[in-house]
Amino acid sequence: MSEDMSDGPNDIVAVLTDRIEARFGMSLDLLRKAVAARPTAYPAATEAVTWHGHLVESQADLDRAENELLAVLDTQSREIDDPALALAFQVDAAVQIRDGRAMVLRLLLDPDAPQKQGLAAQRLARLTRGDRTGPAVSASAPPHSTTSVPSVPVAGRSVRR
């Protein structure tokens, strides 16, 4: 799939919504209802619905920030004041958040993602299934040594050789 997600902000949500519906073979509304009824039945669907919700939320935050910035810019003269600049930074941050969530969702929907194949995928599957029976690193204190510690010269005293 080579849809360009940079055509517009709402296009990102629309493209990923279409991908979710294609991946799971049902409308997003039906998928949400299925996930709400049995969230643990199909973890991939639950994860996709969750991240889609995050994406929609971040898109709404971005829309609000852009509208606030445009309203302030309409009242500005040639120079932009600090409050307008702060709003511009908020818009930039909102874009970054929205795009990050879109990237996560794209990765979740991509069956050919590197994290879903090979040794890395097997390790990830083991971790998420809970096959591990103990900590990855020993949690016990190291054994105490019974050997004496060699003497160390004290600062300020000379050592003969």
Side-chain angles (χ1 to χ4, degrees):
M1 293 181 162
S2 62
E3 293 100 345
D4 182 16
M5 290 199 294
S6 62
D7 291 339
N10 291 322
D11 291 342
I12 293 172
V13 175
V15 166
L16 290 172
T17 300
D18 290 345
R19 286 186 183 179
I20 291 170
E21 290 174 344
R23 165 83 164 73
F24 296 103
M26 64 177 69
S27 73
L28 189 60
D29 288 336
L30 287 176
L31 189 61
R32 277 191 196 115
K33 289 175 185 174
V35 164
R38 295 186 53 207
T40 58
Y42 196 52
T46 302
E47 217 172 11
V49 167
T50 299
W51 278 97
H52 185 272
H54 294 323
L55 176 63
V56 169
E57 176 185 307
S58 62
Q59 181 62 54
D61 292 342
L62 173 58
D63 291 342
R64 274 190 296 280
E66 285 177 331
N67 290 337
E68 288 176 23
L69 177 60
L70 289 173
V72 167
L73 290 176
D74 282 343
T75 65
Q76 296 283 307
S77 60
R78 290 185 157 243
E79 289 190 33
I80 297 175
D81 61 10
D82 288 341
L85 190 57
L87 285 173
F89 284 126
Q90 286 179 356
V91 168
D92 185 55
V95 168
Q96 298 297 321
I97 291 168
R98 190 268 325 265
D99 289 352
R101 290 175 176 180
M103 286 175 30
V104 169
L105 191 50
R106 281 183 63 192
L107 179 68
L108 290 172
L109 296 172
D110 183 2
D112 297 325
Q115 294 82 354
K116 295 182 180 181
Q117 297 177 5
L119 186 58
Q122 292 171 7
R123 287 180 180 160
L124 182 60
R126 273 197 314 270
L127 288 173
T128 57
R129 281 195 316 255
D131 288 351
R132 183 175 290 186
T133 57
V137 178
S138 174
S140 62
H144 288 86
S145 173
T146 57
T147 61
S148 63
V149 176
S151 62
V152 178
V154 176
R157 295 188 187 176
S158 63
V159 177
R160 284 194 191 167
R161 295 186 186 227

